Amino acid sequence: MTTVALVGNPNCGKTTIFNKLTGSSQRVGNWPGVTIEKKVGKLRGKKDVDIVDLPGVYSLSPYSPEEIITRNYLVHESPDVIINIVDASNLERNLYLTTQVMEMGIPVVIALNMMDIAENRGILIDIKELSKRLGCKVVPTCALKNDGLDDVSDTAIAEVGHVPGYLRFSDETENCIFKVSELIDNRNHATSRWYAIKLLERDELAQSEYEDILDEITPLIETLEKSKDDTGDGIIAEERYNAIGTIVSGVRKETKDNKETISDKIDKIVTNKWLGLPIFAGIMFITYYIAMTTVGAYFSGWVNDVFFGEWVLPGVQSWLESMNVDPVLIGLIVDGILAGVGAVLGFLPQVLVLFILLTILEDCGYMARICFVMDRIFRKFNLSGKSFIPLLVGTGCGIPGIMASRTIENETDRKLTVVTTTFMPCSAKLPIIALIAGALFGGSALVALFCYFLGIGCVLISGIILKKLRTFAGAPSVFIMELPPYHTPKFMNVVKTTLDRGWAFVKKAGTFILLACAIVWFLSAFSWNLTMVDDINDSMLASIGQAICWIFTPLGWGGDWQFSVATITGLLAKENVVGTFGVLFGFNEISEAGEEIWTVIAAMLGTVGGLSFLAFNMICAPCFAAIGAMRRELGTWKMTLLAVTYQCALAYVIAMMIFQFGSIIVYGTFSLWLIPTIIITILMIYLLIAKDPFKYFNNKSKEAIKC
């Protein structure tokens, strides 16, 4: 068995190469943190070759979780060969990692990727000369066009067993490295040069492994530092960049003037301090408008009215009746399973259109700019711009969004991001948005935009409030991100990503939601003595709903137990909210227009109550699977329980504000619940503007960051 590790900087096309080599479909995005843990796949056509995709890193110094994962794998698991993916359009910066990888004594092949972008910029690279100067094989590739990938995999397999060359520093530094290596060699370590350099840099992890010989090594390092008048890591970094500069100047030629590129011109507008956010809001409005009201709405209407309304439900019912199937079983299949699952799948076209548009925005490079724009805003609310990447990922599904928080180095920032990621509307919440928009707001795309910015608003509010707690105190971590050049989205990538996300949506409908709908139907069709009921208000589900619905009275929808039940079933999967309505309101009885369920919901909720119901279900605790992901990232059930409690409390308060204040504005009515709402609002404003008790600590942290 041969193991090939893929190593490279973020945004160098590493995951794309992994997908091409293995036939996998790992997520590809134009921002760092797409790969947050190592992924393993078989090389196409060669089952005896494993390909390992490691997180993108800029160096092997363990400052971030990605760097720790990559470094630990290379040091402790020693793959047979490394394919180092290098961005040809940014050679100098990428070779900084290359030189460190080559010092590990593991065979290395360089995949010089993005050659098309380099050529478009007039950058010509002498491949043979680069290979000669580095001391390893170099293969030009263009992963998106599938160019050179067979060559790079064949070359990598052929290189197994061939130790590459390495970068030579000044004689004085080399002499120090040699002496340290001799001390390590006595312990017969295969990567003695790499360890020697790390010890010279005073790398804490390396020092912890060689504590017993530090007394012998330290004088050697101090002598070099005194001679060079610099720190050990400073000496190595300067000499490394000097050597890389010499290599690059000998192999690279630029045939065009270094003029402003099209990406630079676009960025001047879309990342502008004043225009960036309005442009983002406009683009998201257009995105949701197309998905919710035009193309998506047309196809969703057809699926609801024709496919399920005229074909599936009546057809299955007629067929079952013709087979003399027991009426109870017909009720379970038609009124329970098909009605519930159909209510969810009816929104599939809208979800798919939204996935297509979001994938295009990701693939062309625009979403990476949003992280840059939002960093400016997030920092004012004590959050790092790096937190916005998990939020973006979370718009597809909350679970990978929570996992993407691992890319945040600062522990308190990471925990804060885990708690707030699910405030963003994921794909499972889209049916709820579409339902409320259709029932109460004429299908307006502004409802979806409201949910999107409600999520961001809750993240910002949480940033201010939670940072005043000792658990989350501290200055936000530094956010460094490379903006990739804009490029035309690849058709197959858009199609594949959309289908993957859409299939995950359908699978969920066929498993969790199907089971939940069957249970909801059973509880709604039988009484506690297990006899079928004619009136649903006599069912077990009605009694359960009535027992808990009072909790939601201040939110405006506690009078009808169906909404309480739908909210609770949403904890299994958010799609269950709509699926439950499908069962409770008889989806199979809708007319061709398919508007009865909207009419019933609109009559029961009203405009303000509907908005309150929507807001609560957007912000409250996510599904159980996402809560499980939160538990993994937060480390303890106690912390997870506190996080879920905070999410539900924030959702409750915001929904109550919407209903109580909205009722005064829209209907001119108020209730006794308005008084506690005003008190809670004042308390919340106080928490937002109150002095930060950990301000001194935060300032000290910022000073440390500046240093």
Side-chain angles (χ1 to χ4, degrees), residues 317-325:
Q317 183 160 2
S318 299
W319 179 71
L320 292 173
E321 288 172 350
S322 68
M323 299 288 289
N324 293 320
V325 175

Side-chain angles (χ1 to χ4, degrees), residues 104-130:
M104 304 191 81
I106 303 170
V108 175
V109 172
I110 291 177
L112 197 59
N113 198 31
M114 302 188 187
M115 288 296 290
D116 54 339
I117 294 175
E119 289 169 5
N120 288 337
R121 293 181 182 177
I123 298 172
L124 299 179
I125 298 173
D126 187 335
I127 305 294
K128 287 185 179 177
E129 185 61 23
L130 179 62

Side-chain angles (χ1 to χ4, degrees), residues 146-203:
N146 213 20
D147 291 343
L149 298 186
D150 289 339
D151 287 344
V152 81
S153 59
D154 291 343
T155 305
I157 294 169
E159 280 298 297
V160 173
H162 295 105
V163 178
Y166 53 79
L167 205 63
R168 287 194 63 80
F169 302 117
S170 67
D171 290 343
E172 192 175 4
T173 305
E174 283 292 337
N175 185 43
C176 183
I177 293 171
F178 176 74
K179 290 178 179 176
V180 176
S181 297
E182 278 192 322
L183 294 171
I184 295 173
D185 273 340
N186 290 336
R187 298 166 68 154
N188 196 27
H189 204 291
T191 56
S192 58
R193 180 178 174 83
W194 183 82
Y195 266 109
I197 293 172
K198 286 296 164 194
L199 288 168
L200 193 55
E201 293 175 331
R202 296 184 186 274
D203 181 291

Side-chain angles (χ1 to χ4, degrees), residues 27 31 288 351 354-355 358-359 362 367 389-402 421 424-431 452 497 500-502 504-505 508 575:
R27 180 181 174 80
W31 53 72
Y288 281 112
V351 172
L354 186 64
F355 284 163
L358 291 178
T359 305
E362 291 173 10
M367 284 303 196
I389 295 171
L391 299 183
L392 274 179
V393 176
T395 57
C397 176
I399 296 170
I402 291 168
T421 294
M424 299 301 287
C426 65
S427 61
K429 295 175 182 174
L430 290 178
Y452 202 87
T497 303
D500 285 345
R501 291 173 174 176
F505 185 85
K508 213 170 176 185
E575 297 95 327

Side-chain angles (χ1 to χ4, degrees), residues 525-568:
F526 288 86
S527 63
W528 288 106
N529 57 13
L530 298 182
T531 57
M532 283 199 81
V533 295
D534 296 327
D535 186 350
I536 195 170
N537 289 307
D538 298 326
S539 66
M540 289 186 276
L541 195 62
S543 59
I544 293 171
Q546 286 161 358
I548 60 172
C549 65
W550 60 271
I551 298 171
F552 303 104
T553 300
L555 313 190
W557 37 279
D560 297 301
W561 58 267
Q562 292 89 342
F563 298 104
S564 307
V565 169
T567 298
I568 300 301

Side-chain angles (χ1 to χ4, degrees), residues 567-589:
T567 298
I568 300 301
T569 59
L571 289 175
L572 288 174
K574 288 298 175 186
E575 297 95 327
N576 274 333
V577 175
V578 175
T580 301
F581 287 146
V583 176
L584 297 180
F585 297 136
F587 183 79
N588 61 326
E589 295 175 0

Side-chain angles (χ1 to χ4, degrees), residues 357-666:
L357 297 174
L358 291 178
T359 305
I360 289 172
L361 290 175
E362 291 173 10
D363 213 28
C364 74
Y366 176 71
M367 284 303 196
R369 271 71 185 177
I370 291 307
C371 295
F372 176 76
V373 171
M374 294 306 292
D375 179 55
R376 232 181 262 136
I377 299 167
F378 270 39
R379 197 156 286 279
K380 294 182 187 299
F381 292 86
N382 295 327
L383 290 164
S384 166
K386 220 170 183 181
S387 298
F388 197 68
I389 295 171
L391 299 183
L392 274 179
V393 176
T395 57
C397 176
I399 296 170
I402 291 168
M403 292 173 65
S405 66
R406 294 178 188 174
T407 60
I408 300 171
E409 299 89 343
N410 185 299
E411 184 68 8
T412 57
D413 282 359
R414 195 177 66 76
K415 288 182 177 177
L416 186 56
T417 305
V418 169
V419 174
T420 57
T421 294
T422 56
F423 289 154
M424 299 301 287
C426 65
S427 61
K429 295 175 182 174
L430 290 178
I432 309 174
I433 298 172
L435 176 69
I436 296 299
L440 294 157
F441 299 96
S444 173
L446 288 173
V447 178
L449 196 65
F450 162 77
C451 292
Y452 202 87
F453 282 94
L454 175 67
I456 293 176
C458 288
V459 173
L460 298 180
I461 289 172
S462 301
I464 296 175
I465 295 176
L466 295 180
K467 277 284 184 177
K468 292 174 182 173
L469 302 177
R470 183 178 292 278
T471 307
F472 298 101
S477 57
V478 176
F479 180 37
I480 301 172
M481 182 176 179
E482 180 190 357
L483 296 180
Y486 290 101
H487 61 256
T488 306
K490 296 298 175 187
F491 176 75
M492 286 309 298
N493 186 40
V494 173
V495 170
K496 197 170 183 180
T497 303
T498 302
L499 290 179
D500 285 345
R501 291 173 174 176
W503 178 237
F505 185 85
V506 172
K507 274 199 298 186
K508 213 170 176 185
T511 52
F512 291 113
I513 298 167
L514 186 147
L515 179 63
C517 289
I519 294 172
V520 168
W521 175 85
F522 174 78
L523 293 173
S524 65
F526 288 86
S527 63
W528 288 106
N529 57 13
L530 298 182
T531 57
M532 283 199 81
V533 295
D534 296 327
D535 186 350
I536 195 170
N537 289 307
D538 298 326
S539 66
M540 289 186 276
L541 195 62
S543 59
I544 293 171
Q546 286 161 358
I548 60 172
C549 65
W550 60 271
I551 298 171
F552 303 104
T553 300
L555 313 190
W557 37 279
D560 297 301
W561 58 267
Q562 292 89 342
F563 298 104
S564 307
V565 169
T567 298
I568 300 301
T569 59
L571 289 175
L572 288 174
K574 288 298 175 186
E575 297 95 327
N576 274 333
V577 175
V578 175
T580 301
F581 287 146
V583 176
L584 297 180
F585 297 136
F587 183 79
N588 61 326
E589 295 175 0
I590 63 173
S591 68
E592 290 185 3
E595 294 176 349
E596 275 77 357
I597 189 171
W598 290 3
T599 307
V600 171
I601 288 175
M604 294 172 78
L605 280 175
T607 306
V608 180
L611 208 56
S612 162
F613 178 79
L614 180 64
F616 183 85
N617 280 281
M618 290 297 108
I619 305 167
C620 74
C623 62
F624 286 155
I627 292 175
M630 287 172 59
R631 160 67 182 82
R632 283 198 299 275
E633 300 306 321
L634 293 174
T636 64
W637 278 114
K638 181 184 176 184
M639 189 72 186
T640 307
L641 181 62
L642 289 173
V644 169
T645 303
Y646 171 76
Q647 292 169 333
C648 292
L650 182 65
Y652 196 91
V653 167
I654 289 179
M656 189 162 70
M657 288 179 184
I658 289 174
F659 181 73
Q660 296 299 332
F661 294 130
S663 294
I664 296 175
I665 297 169
V666 177

